[in-house]
Amino acid sequence: MEQLSTANNLSVAGEDSRGPVETFQYVVISVGAEQYGIDIRYVDNIVRMQAVTRVPKVPDYLKGVINLRGEVIPVMSIRLKMGLENDEITRATRIIILKLEQEGNVGVMVDEVKEVVTLNSNEIDKVSHGPKDGRPSFINGIGKHNNSLISLLDLNSITLGDNV
């Protein structure tokens, strides 16, 4: 019986004081000088920049639509959605096709796709919501990877509504 109680006090490998350690994978992108992470579970495809057909009377951040293998996909500028300067298209510019539950697929223009990283739950700090100036927060966490910080994007805030 004494051995049993001792075994219960040991922490199991893969756990920390907050419980089991989960791992998450993020596609690391750059937008300007900043690094952001997109949960890989929502990434359907990453394609090179291509001609975007403009759609009239839509918000500025909606750049238009593309035809990807017979499917028409809306494309938005993550820069304009976050209130940054307009996109500068380069050879590194990519469109990340996100698969979202209610909205279907949507493309997001990014400056560059850097890498895929795996973060443990203890390497992610959640960001408290409720900015004081009433503007939406597009970040739901900060990941720590190789002595650098990666802002983890809240895809619902970015893809829903006209909140810039």
Side-chain angles (χ1 to χ4, degrees):
M1 191 71 151
E2 188 173 297
Q3 276 185 322
L4 182 61
S5 66
T6 305
N8 287 339
N9 292 333
L10 297 175
S11 72
V12 178
E15 287 191 8
D16 66 5
S17 61
R18 295 179 285 186
V21 176
E22 295 181 70
T23 59
F24 303 94
Q25 287 190 307
Y26 291 90
V27 174
V28 178
I29 61 167
S30 65
V31 177
E34 300 297 320
Q35 288 192 116
Y36 297 93
I38 296 176
D39 191 330
I40 202 165
R41 294 176 295 180
Y42 299 104
V43 175
D44 184 53
N45 206 339
I46 300 172
V47 298
R48 292 185 187 278
M49 190 62 202
Q50 55 187 279
V52 177
T53 303
R54 188 84 180 126
V55 177
K57 297 187 180 184
V58 294
D60 285 345
Y61 67 86
L62 287 174
K63 298 306 247 179
V65 295
I66 60 171
N67 184 339
L68 186 64
R69 293 185 285 284
E71 183 180 0
V72 176
I73 298 174
V75 175
M76 64 184 293
S77 165
I78 199 166
R79 283 176 159 270
L80 293 178
K81 182 69 176 195
M82 292 178 13
L84 303 173
E85 66 279 356
N86 204 351
D87 297 277
E88 188 175 311
I89 307 301
T90 67
R91 294 180 63 128
T93 303
R94 296 290 184 263
I95 300 174
I96 299 179
I97 309 299
L98 302 173
K99 53 182 181 234
L100 304 171
E101 293 170 15
Q102 281 95 16
E103 295 80 33
N105 289 353
V106 63
V108 177
M109 288 175 51
V110 300
D111 293 349
E112 182 181 6
V113 174
K114 297 178 110 18
E115 63 182 326
V116 175
V117 298
T118 301
L119 299 175
N120 295 322
S121 55
N122 58 4
E123 297 173 310
I124 299 172
D125 291 333
K126 293 292 179 195
V127 173
S128 60
H129 288 285
K132 292 160 183 55
D133 62 2
R135 293 181 57 109
S137 172
F138 298 114
I139 307 300
N140 64 7
I142 303 292
K144 294 170 266 190
H145 182 71
N146 290 344
N147 296 323
S148 65
L149 298 178
I150 302 167
S151 299
L152 306 177
L153 293 174
D154 179 359
L155 296 178
N156 288 326
S157 296
I158 290 174
T159 57
L160 295 177
D162 183 17
N163 44 4
V164 168

